[in-house]
Amino acid sequence: MSKFDKASRSELRAIAEKSKWFHAIDFGDFASSGRFPKGEPQNITLFGAMDLLGSIDLKGCRVLDIGSADGLASFGMKELGAREVVSIDSYDVPTYRIARKLLNVETDYRPNVQIKDAVSELGWKQFDVILCAGVIYHMLNPMSAFIECRKLLKDNGLLIMESPVGAKLKDPVLALNTELDDFMPEPSTYWIPSKSAMTGMMKLMGFDVCATRYLKAPTRLTVLGRAAPPAEIRDRNALLQQVHEIDFCDFEFRWSELAKHAGASDVSYEVDEFHRDITAAGESPAFPFQPQPREDAVGSTRWASAGGNFLQK
Ligand SMILES: C[S@@+](CC[C@H](N)C(=O)[O-])C[C@H]1O[C@@H](n2cnc3c(N)ncnc32)[C@H](O)[C@@H]1O
């Protein structure tokens, strides 16, 4: 029970007007200000995920939203038919609770839970679908997000992983942001992966890459992967095959450990194109509670750079 549960709609709107928002959320009669300037496409970094979620049949699925922030994606996935949505975040974000009450959507909110603690909090192989958007570059060890998601997903479950990527990075690398000449000016961004590092980390951790969506401004990549048996991973070169065959020498993840846990998913998806570039201009994708650009959005934001990541002092 949160302190917002007993508030009336007009009281909630008054609170929303005084709140700082990360997501722009359409509440019907009004919307919240997201972190992009008013009038511009909102929640742009989620456009790839919104597109891919439209090709997944979420009905009956148990879904995890990692780094849910204000909860737009969690609420949208519930509205799209998910049986249960669990949202975790490093912080307890009050705007999540305000938005959930305004939208009257049921979700399982677990604040103050980081990815590294998710398996002990939620258990192995519990989810059909995981969304992990805008999180890995905030982690000292981004690879561990892929590892923990493989443990959390049922066999054949789907992972949507989203991150900024370095447009100029050609090799499969994680660039250390603090050492880049054109660093992202945000103190909680430690790494900028290249596109091939994103898909490569997915494959290393036992995901068959099913689709990618690339956003050019800001440069972000969204990858859809299926928790597959290694033999079903596309583009698996001889070295990767060997890696999977010897099991991992780092005990943080081992196939033999994964195999001890039961849980298989029958979630289905149908992507029309393996790869697509997403343009930020134009209308917002059709996704529940995603607002069209509007000038009358309420509240403010402390996240206001054109890139959508810079924390204003
Ligand atoms: C950039 S926001 C992205 C929000 C949302 N997923 C989206 O894409 O719009 C990152 C969110 O992830 C949370 N976060 C950062 N590191 C995390 C971690 N290791 N585990 C869980 N949540 C984390 C932050 O508190 C923040 O709410």
Side-chain angles (χ1 to χ4, degrees):
M1 182 96 175
S2 93
K3 62 179 177 181
F4 305 116
D5 284 349
K6 288 197 175 143
S8 67
R9 192 166 178 87
S10 58
E11 285 167 337
L12 284 168
R13 180 179 173 143
I15 298 167
E17 286 170 1
K18 289 193 200 110
S19 299
K20 290 183 173 178
W21 292 86
F22 186 85
H23 289 139
I25 302 178
D26 196 339
F27 297 114
D29 47 343
F30 69 101
S32 58
S33 288
R35 72 195 197 280
F36 296 99
K38 282 186 181 170
E40 288 190 13
Q42 296 294 312
N43 311 311
I44 297 166
T45 61
L46 283 171
F47 280 16
M50 290 173 179
D51 184 50
L52 291 169
L53 282 165
S55 60
I56 299 172
D57 185 0
L58 289 174
K59 289 189 190 64
C61 288
R62 189 160 193 244
V63 175
L64 176 64
D65 183 8
I66 299 177
S68 48
D70 297 351
L72 171 69
S74 297
F75 309 139
M77 291 190 289
K78 187 74 172 79
E79 189 72 3
L80 286 171
R83 174 170 55 84
E84 187 185 355
V85 175
V86 179
S87 314
I88 65 168
D89 201 288
S90 305
Y91 297 99
D92 192 335
V93 181
T95 35
Y96 181 104
R97 298 178 191 276
I98 297 166
R100 183 174 60 175
K101 178 70 181 147
L102 276 163
L103 296 171
N104 198 20
V105 175
E106 253 183 58
T107 57
D108 181 355
Y109 187 39
R110 312 272 186 115
N112 309 311
V113 176
Q114 293 212 299
I115 293 184
K116 64 183 169 60
D117 303 315
V119 173
S120 57
E121 169 90 11
L122 302 164
W124 290 70
K125 293 193 183 173
Q126 292 297 311
F127 295 95
D128 301 283
V129 177
I130 297 180
L131 172 66
C132 182
V135 177
I136 60 169
Y137 54 106
H138 295 310
M139 298 173 66
L140 290 172
N141 180 4
M143 187 73 217
S144 66
F146 296 83
I147 299 172
E148 298 311 307
C149 285
R150 193 66 174 77
K151 295 176 187 170
L152 289 158
L153 270 177
K154 298 175 189 171
D155 295 336
N156 284 318
L158 299 174
L159 170 63
I160 297 176
M161 184 62 85
E162 191 277 337
S163 171
V165 286
K168 287 188 261 167
L169 302 173
K170 299 298 171 214
D171 290 324
V173 293
L174 293 174
L176 187 57
N177 191 39
T178 47
E179 299 300 316
L180 288 172
D181 291 335
D182 56 345
F183 57 79
M184 189 184 279
E186 184 190 52
S188 59
T189 293
Y190 308 118
W191 302 98
I192 307 288
S194 64
K195 284 194 217 176
S196 58
M198 285 284 287
T199 51
M201 287 191 286
M202 289 282 266
K203 290 194 297 176
L204 180 61
M205 286 327 300
F207 291 97
D208 177 40
V209 175
C210 309
T212 57
R213 298 290 180 261
Y214 181 58
L215 186 67
K216 286 188 175 151
T219 51
R220 317 270 301 205
L221 189 72
T222 310
V223 185
L224 172 67
R226 182 174 64 89
E232 293 176 19
I233 296 168
R234 279 170 267 201
D235 298 327
R236 203 169 61 126
N237 66 19
L239 179 61
L240 186 55
Q241 195 167 332
Q242 268 188 312
V243 171
H244 288 156
E245 276 165 9
I246 63 161
D247 211 340
F248 288 81
C249 70
D250 185 340
F251 289 3
E252 195 171 341
F253 180 86
R254 307 208 85 205
W255 294 119
S256 42
E257 194 62 31
L258 190 73
K260 290 181 192 160
H261 302 271
S265 175
D266 56 6
V267 57
S268 62
Y269 71 96
E270 205 175 324
V271 283
D272 48 0
E273 286 171 281
F274 182 85
H275 177 77
R276 185 156 59 232
D277 286 345
I278 303 264
T279 46
E283 293 200 347
S284 297
F287 186 77
F289 316 124
Q290 163 69 13
Q292 295 302 322
R294 53 198 286 178
E295 294 294 339
D296 62 344
V298 307
S300 58
T301 179
R302 57 199 184 106
W303 302 84
S305 75
N309 286 296
F310 186 50
L311 178 63
Q312 286 193 329
K313 296 266 192 259

